[in-house]
Amino acid sequence: MNNFKWPDPPSVDKYSVCVHCGLCLQACPTYLETGNEAQSPRGRVDLIKAVSEGRMAINESFIDPVFRCLDCRACETACPSGVQVGTLIEEARGQIRQAEPLTGFKGMVSSVFLKGIFPNPGRLKALGTLTRLYQKSGMRKLVRGTGAMRLLPRHLQDMERVMPEVSARTSREVLPPLVPAIGEKRGSVGLILGCVMDVLYADINLATARVLARNGFDVMVPQAQTCCGALQVHAGERPTAKLMARQNIDAFLEAGVDYIIINAAGCGATLKEYEDLMQSDQEYAHKAGQFVAKVRDIAEFLVEVGYEAPKGRVDVKVTYHDACHLAHAQKVRTQPRQLLHSIPGVELIEMRDSDVCCGSAGIYNLTHPDMAEPILDKKMANVPPEAEILVMGNPGCMMQMSVGVHRKAMDQEVVHTISLMDRAYEAEKRSGA
């Protein structure tokens, strides 16, 4: 008897291909931390199979390993059989949230943020405005000065200290519906603004639009778009994620663009898996396939279609962190490095184990700080000391690595790949090259 009773259960086609070889074990951050088979990819797949075959109930022995997984997908890179562990975990979380809905404070927080704020750009902007008010009004200085911040857990204190200054306007407010191509037009793209990127890292969205236009593409910004739903998928809130996917599919297919561009690794992986998310939706399954065929990460896109290497110099030593959902989920590894190598003056120093998770994993660093902190410590130990800038392609990693820089009293800047490209193009304009 199958104990997965709700829509989108983990399928036998996905978990049955695991041959228990164990090659995934040394790639799994939680297994390396605990040495516990249940906290490994192989163990989790076994648990999913046991619940699916009715040999195990959905109980705490199942829930904890499934939610303690970072969903970093390093195991998928290591797996010779092609087991889709990430998708299995996300589908299992969807079943858990149906069987054991969150209650009390956790249920309230989940409902407010995952169902109320992130799917609604207006509410997200209001949250950003409150954060900016806190940062600019003197309230932050007062809170820090009185020691009230010490009442919070350490990981939340660190998050507060490294949170970027929120811009007065989101990228959605700044960008026009169409940013025209500069020079000869090569095509049109739709830009996904995201949620965290739109509010906390608006400057990265603006840089992305400038770089795309600089390379001959009309940049369309559909106003009907919403958050991609990655946080909801990771948290098991699949019904909400599906509503958001439908909204994005309609917005971008109606725009009629040649490509759909994303600059956040976690969001890009979710967007590329809309077809899987919507497979049981008769109306949207086909549309999701059309949407997915157009989605590209910004670095992947520029290398695929060709770009004009910037002529402006950015004299700096950098190291590159492979965001899990870019390297393991989307298999985008060489393209960001190619962009960096093409910037005059940039010296790329490779980081040891650059594709090992930093511990961010969506909101994992908030929900599982006990596991995220030692994983971050290992990551920071691999940062080459001579690097002046840490480069990556995901906002969650940027926040997490900034926490690491703060804790280690380092002085490196944390920068998105496309922002460095934008600096080089701006330097080119200033020099008149």
Side-chain angles (χ1 to χ4, degrees), residues 324-345:
C324 296
H325 282 82
L326 204 52
H328 300 300
Q330 300 184 60
K331 313 302 181 190
V332 175
R333 293 171 178 266
T334 61
Q335 297 93 328
R337 290 174 168 82
Q338 183 172 330
L339 296 186
L340 294 174
H341 281 302
S342 72
I343 300 175

PDB file of all heavy atoms in Angstrom, residues 324-345:
ATOM      1  N   CYS A 324      25.150  25.571  -6.276  1.00  0.00           N
ATOM      2  CA  CYS A 324      24.732  24.170  -6.499  1.00  0.00           C
ATOM      3  C   CYS A 324      23.741  24.043  -7.657  1.00  0.00           C
ATOM      4  O   CYS A 324      23.865  23.159  -8.498  1.00  0.00           O
ATOM      5  CB  CYS A 324      24.093  23.617  -5.234  1.00  0.00           C
ATOM      6  SG  CYS A 324      25.221  23.530  -3.834  1.00  0.00           S
ATOM      7  N   HIS A 325      22.742  24.932  -7.664  1.00  0.00           N
ATOM      8  CA  HIS A 325      21.692  24.795  -8.674  1.00  0.00           C
ATOM      9  C   HIS A 325      22.126  25.288 -10.048  1.00  0.00           C
ATOM     10  O   HIS A 325      21.384  25.131 -11.020  1.00  0.00           O
ATOM     11  CB  HIS A 325      20.411  25.503  -8.215  1.00  0.00           C
ATOM     12  CG  HIS A 325      19.652  24.697  -7.212  1.00  0.00           C
ATOM     13  ND1 HIS A 325      19.982  24.686  -5.878  1.00  0.00           N
ATOM     14  CD2 HIS A 325      18.607  23.829  -7.349  1.00  0.00           C
ATOM     15  CE1 HIS A 325      19.170  23.864  -5.234  1.00  0.00           C
ATOM     16  NE2 HIS A 325      18.332  23.327  -6.092  1.00  0.00           N
ATOM     17  N   LEU A 326      23.320  25.881 -10.131  1.00  0.00           N
ATOM     18  CA  LEU A 326      23.876  26.209 -11.435  1.00  0.00           C
ATOM     19  C   LEU A 326      24.772  25.051 -11.902  1.00  0.00           C
ATOM     20  O   LEU A 326      24.660  24.587 -13.033  1.00  0.00           O
ATOM     21  CB  LEU A 326      24.682  27.513 -11.351  1.00  0.00           C
ATOM     22  CG  LEU A 326      24.870  28.323 -12.637  1.00  0.00           C
ATOM     23  CD1 LEU A 326      23.538  28.582 -13.338  1.00  0.00           C
ATOM     24  CD2 LEU A 326      25.568  29.635 -12.348  1.00  0.00           C
ATOM     25  N   ALA A 327      25.658  24.576 -11.014  1.00  0.00           N
ATOM     26  CA  ALA A 327      26.619  23.533 -11.398  1.00  0.00           C
ATOM     27  C   ALA A 327      25.967  22.149 -11.478  1.00  0.00           C
ATOM     28  O   ALA A 327      26.132  21.430 -12.477  1.00  0.00           O
ATOM     29  CB  ALA A 327      27.772  23.503 -10.395  1.00  0.00           C
ATOM     30  N   HIS A 328      25.251  21.759 -10.425  1.00  0.00           N
ATOM     31  CA  HIS A 328      24.733  20.388 -10.363  1.00  0.00           C
ATOM     32  C   HIS A 328      23.364  20.228 -11.047  1.00  0.00           C
ATOM     33  O   HIS A 328      23.119  19.221 -11.702  1.00  0.00           O
ATOM     34  CB  HIS A 328      24.622  19.944  -8.902  1.00  0.00           C
ATOM     35  CG  HIS A 328      25.923  19.964  -8.175  1.00  0.00           C
ATOM     36  ND1 HIS A 328      27.002  19.220  -8.566  1.00  0.00           N
ATOM     37  CD2 HIS A 328      26.331  20.671  -7.081  1.00  0.00           C
ATOM     38  CE1 HIS A 328      28.031  19.446  -7.750  1.00  0.00           C
ATOM     39  NE2 HIS A 328      27.639  20.329  -6.851  1.00  0.00           N
ATOM     40  N   ALA A 329      22.483  21.208 -10.880  1.00  0.00           N
ATOM     41  CA  ALA A 329      21.136  21.078 -11.451  1.00  0.00           C
ATOM     42  C   ALA A 329      21.105  21.493 -12.920  1.00  0.00           C
ATOM     43  O   ALA A 329      20.461  20.847 -13.741  1.00  0.00           O
ATOM     44  CB  ALA A 329      20.143  21.921 -10.648  1.00  0.00           C
ATOM     45  N   GLN A 330      21.807  22.608 -13.270  1.00  0.00           N
ATOM     46  CA  GLN A 330      21.741  23.104 -14.653  1.00  0.00           C
ATOM     47  C   GLN A 330      22.982  22.748 -15.474  1.00  0.00           C
ATOM     48  O   GLN A 330      23.018  23.020 -16.675  1.00  0.00           O
ATOM     49  CB  GLN A 330      21.562  24.624 -14.645  1.00  0.00           C
ATOM     50  CG  GLN A 330      20.288  25.093 -13.941  1.00  0.00           C
ATOM     51  CD  GLN A 330      20.107  26.594 -14.052  1.00  0.00           C
ATOM     52  OE1 GLN A 330      20.015  27.144 -15.138  1.00  0.00           O
ATOM     53  NE2 GLN A 330      20.049  27.271 -12.908  1.00  0.00           N
ATOM     54  N   LYS A 331      24.001  22.200 -14.806  1.00  0.00           N
ATOM     55  CA  LYS A 331      25.252  21.824 -15.481  1.00  0.00           C
ATOM     56  C   LYS A 331      25.931  23.032 -16.138  1.00  0.00           C
ATOM     57  O   LYS A 331      26.548  22.909 -17.210  1.00  0.00           O
ATOM     58  CB  LYS A 331      25.014  20.720 -16.521  1.00  0.00           C
ATOM     59  CG  LYS A 331      24.163  19.549 -16.025  1.00  0.00           C
ATOM     60  CD  LYS A 331      24.760  18.875 -14.817  1.00  0.00           C
ATOM     61  CE  LYS A 331      23.905  17.685 -14.362  1.00  0.00           C
ATOM     62  NZ  LYS A 331      24.338  17.151 -13.032  1.00  0.00           N
ATOM     63  N   VAL A 332      25.792  24.183 -15.539  1.00  0.00           N
ATOM     64  CA  VAL A 332      26.439  25.398 -16.044  1.00  0.00           C
ATOM     65  C   VAL A 332      27.670  25.656 -15.188  1.00  0.00           C
ATOM     66  O   VAL A 332      27.565  26.121 -14.051  1.00  0.00           O
ATOM     67  CB  VAL A 332      25.479  26.602 -15.998  1.00  0.00           C
ATOM     68  CG1 VAL A 332      26.198  27.897 -16.406  1.00  0.00           C
ATOM     69  CG2 VAL A 332      24.281  26.361 -16.916  1.00  0.00           C
ATOM     70  N   ARG A 333      28.838  25.321 -15.717  1.00  0.00           N
ATOM     71  CA  ARG A 333      30.096  25.464 -14.967  1.00  0.00           C
ATOM     72  C   ARG A 333      31.123  26.314 -15.724  1.00  0.00           C
ATOM     73  O   ARG A 333      31.734  27.203 -15.147  1.00  0.00           O
ATOM     74  CB  ARG A 333      30.713  24.076 -14.715  1.00  0.00           C
ATOM     75  CG  ARG A 333      29.919  23.186 -13.783  1.00  0.00           C
ATOM     76  CD  ARG A 333      30.504  21.781 -13.780  1.00  0.00           C
ATOM     77  NE  ARG A 333      29.803  20.890 -12.872  1.00  0.00           N
ATOM     78  CZ  ARG A 333      30.160  20.653 -11.624  1.00  0.00           C
ATOM     79  NH1 ARG A 333      31.241  21.247 -11.125  1.00  0.00           N
ATOM     80  NH2 ARG A 333      29.477  19.828 -10.867  1.00  0.00           N
ATOM     81  N   THR A 334      31.297  26.004 -16.997  1.00  0.00           N
ATOM     82  CA  THR A 334      32.365  26.679 -17.739  1.00  0.00           C
ATOM     83  C   THR A 334      31.964  28.099 -18.166  1.00  0.00           C
ATOM     84  O   THR A 334      32.830  28.979 -18.278  1.00  0.00           O
ATOM     85  CB  THR A 334      32.743  25.875 -19.000  1.00  0.00           C
ATOM     86  OG1 THR A 334      31.593  25.782 -19.862  1.00  0.00           O
ATOM     87  CG2 THR A 334      33.195  24.471 -18.638  1.00  0.00           C
ATOM     88  N   GLN A 335      30.679  28.314 -18.410  1.00  0.00           N
ATOM     89  CA  GLN A 335      30.251  29.597 -18.981  1.00  0.00           C
ATOM     90  C   GLN A 335      30.564  30.794 -18.076  1.00  0.00           C
ATOM     91  O   GLN A 335      31.090  31.808 -18.565  1.00  0.00           O
ATOM     92  CB  GLN A 335      28.753  29.550 -19.317  1.00  0.00           C
ATOM     93  CG  GLN A 335      28.392  28.527 -20.388  1.00  0.00           C
ATOM     94  CD  GLN A 335      27.994  27.177 -19.810  1.00  0.00           C
ATOM     95  OE1 GLN A 335      28.492  26.770 -18.755  1.00  0.00           O
ATOM     96  NE2 GLN A 335      27.111  26.479 -20.481  1.00  0.00           N
ATOM     97  N   PRO A 336      30.264  30.724 -16.751  1.00  0.00           N
ATOM     98  CA  PRO A 336      30.619  31.881 -15.909  1.00  0.00           C
ATOM     99  C   PRO A 336      32.123  32.134 -15.901  1.00  0.00           C
ATOM    100  O   PRO A 336      32.568  33.287 -15.888  1.00  0.00           O
ATOM    101  CB  PRO A 336      30.116  31.461 -14.518  1.00  0.00           C
ATOM    102  CG  PRO A 336      29.068  30.432 -14.777  1.00  0.00           C
ATOM    103  CD  PRO A 336      29.531  29.701 -15.992  1.00  0.00           C
ATOM    104  N   ARG A 337      32.910  31.070 -15.907  1.00  0.00           N
ATOM    105  CA  ARG A 337      34.370  31.226 -15.926  1.00  0.00           C
ATOM    106  C   ARG A 337      34.826  31.854 -17.243  1.00  0.00           C
ATOM    107  O   ARG A 337      35.760  32.659 -17.264  1.00  0.00           O
ATOM    108  CB  ARG A 337      35.043  29.871 -15.701  1.00  0.00           C
ATOM    109  CG  ARG A 337      34.871  29.329 -14.288  1.00  0.00           C
ATOM    110  CD  ARG A 337      35.437  27.919 -14.149  1.00  0.00           C
ATOM    111  NE  ARG A 337      35.521  27.504 -12.750  1.00  0.00           N
ATOM    112  CZ  ARG A 337      34.508  27.022 -12.040  1.00  0.00           C
ATOM    113  NH1 ARG A 337      33.321  26.878 -12.621  1.00  0.00           N
ATOM    114  NH2 ARG A 337      34.659  26.683 -10.773  1.00  0.00           N
ATOM    115  N   GLN A 338      34.152  31.474 -18.347  1.00  0.00           N
ATOM    116  CA  GLN A 338      34.503  32.079 -19.634  1.00  0.00           C
ATOM    117  C   GLN A 338      34.250  33.580 -19.603  1.00  0.00           C
ATOM    118  O   GLN A 338      35.055  34.362 -20.121  1.00  0.00           O
ATOM    119  CB  GLN A 338      33.690  31.421 -20.759  1.00  0.00           C
ATOM    120  CG  GLN A 338      34.050  31.950 -22.147  1.00  0.00           C
ATOM    121  CD  GLN A 338      33.392  31.163 -23.260  1.00  0.00           C
ATOM    122  OE1 GLN A 338      33.128  29.964 -23.124  1.00  0.00           O
ATOM    123  NE2 GLN A 338      33.117  31.834 -24.380  1.00  0.00           N
ATOM    124  N   LEU A 339      33.129  33.988 -19.013  1.00  0.00           N
ATOM    125  CA  LEU A 339      32.844  35.420 -18.901  1.00  0.00           C
ATOM    126  C   LEU A 339      33.936  36.114 -18.093  1.00  0.00           C
ATOM    127  O   LEU A 339      34.431  37.183 -18.483  1.00  0.00           O
ATOM    128  CB  LEU A 339      31.481  35.647 -18.228  1.00  0.00           C
ATOM    129  CG  LEU A 339      30.230  35.139 -18.949  1.00  0.00           C
ATOM    130  CD1 LEU A 339      28.981  35.590 -18.194  1.00  0.00           C
ATOM    131  CD2 LEU A 339      30.176  35.616 -20.388  1.00  0.00           C
ATOM    132  N   LEU A 340      34.325  35.518 -16.980  1.00  0.00           N
ATOM    133  CA  LEU A 340      35.342  36.144 -16.126  1.00  0.00           C
ATOM    134  C   LEU A 340      36.680  36.249 -16.859  1.00  0.00           C
ATOM    135  O   LEU A 340      37.369  37.272 -16.780  1.00  0.00           O
ATOM    136  CB  LEU A 340      35.501  35.344 -14.831  1.00  0.00           C
ATOM    137  CG  LEU A 340      34.274  35.335 -13.902  1.00  0.00           C
ATOM    138  CD1 LEU A 340      34.489  34.401 -12.726  1.00  0.00           C
ATOM    139  CD2 LEU A 340      33.966  36.738 -13.408  1.00  0.00           C
ATOM    140  N   HIS A 341      37.054  35.188 -17.564  1.00  0.00           N
ATOM    141  CA  HIS A 341      38.328  35.207 -18.296  1.00  0.00           C
ATOM    142  C   HIS A 341      38.333  36.270 -19.398  1.00  0.00           C
ATOM    143  O   HIS A 341      39.401  36.720 -19.813  1.00  0.00           O
ATOM    144  CB  HIS A 341      38.612  33.835 -18.904  1.00  0.00           C
ATOM    145  CG  HIS A 341      39.142  32.826 -17.931  1.00  0.00           C
ATOM    146  ND1 HIS A 341      40.303  33.029 -17.207  1.00  0.00           N
ATOM    147  CD2 HIS A 341      38.681  31.600 -17.549  1.00  0.00           C
ATOM    148  CE1 HIS A 341      40.529  31.979 -16.420  1.00  0.00           C
ATOM    149  NE2 HIS A 341      39.552  31.110 -16.604  1.00  0.00           N
ATOM    150  N   SER A 342      37.141  36.650 -19.871  1.00  0.00           N
ATOM    151  CA  SER A 342      37.088  37.609 -20.991  1.00  0.00           C
ATOM    152  C   SER A 342      37.187  39.055 -20.526  1.00  0.00           C
ATOM    153  O   SER A 342      37.252  39.956 -21.351  1.00  0.00           O
ATOM    154  CB  SER A 342      35.779  37.409 -21.768  1.00  0.00           C
ATOM    155  OG  SER A 342      34.667  37.874 -21.033  1.00  0.00           O
ATOM    156  N   ILE A 343      37.171  39.293 -19.217  1.00  0.00           N
ATOM    157  CA  ILE A 343      37.243  40.670 -18.701  1.00  0.00           C
ATOM    158  C   ILE A 343      38.708  41.066 -18.546  1.00  0.00           C
ATOM    159  O   ILE A 343      39.446  40.438 -17.768  1.00  0.00           O
ATOM    160  CB  ILE A 343      36.517  40.789 -17.347  1.00  0.00           C
ATOM    161  CG1 ILE A 343      35.044  40.409 -17.485  1.00  0.00           C
ATOM    162  CG2 ILE A 343      36.654  42.216 -16.802  1.00  0.00           C
ATOM    163  CD1 ILE A 343      34.293  40.376 -16.170  1.00  0.00           C
ATOM    164  N   PRO A 344      39.162  42.096 -19.258  1.00  0.00           N
ATOM    165  CA  PRO A 344      40.555  42.518 -19.121  1.00  0.00           C
ATOM    166  C   PRO A 344      40.882  42.887 -17.673  1.00  0.00           C
ATOM    167  O   PRO A 344      40.142  43.642 -17.035  1.00  0.00           O
ATOM    168  CB  PRO A 344      40.631  43.753 -20.037  1.00  0.00           C
ATOM    169  CG  PRO A 344      39.516  43.577 -21.022  1.00  0.00           C
ATOM    170  CD  PRO A 344      38.421  42.901 -20.267  1.00  0.00           C
ATOM    171  N   GLY A 345      41.974  42.349 -17.172  1.00  0.00           N
ATOM    172  CA  GLY A 345      42.419  42.692 -15.822  1.00  0.00           C
ATOM    173  C   GLY A 345      41.981  41.713 -14.751  1.00  0.00           C
ATOM    174  O   GLY A 345      42.543  41.691 -13.657  1.00  0.00           O
TER     175      GLY A 345
END
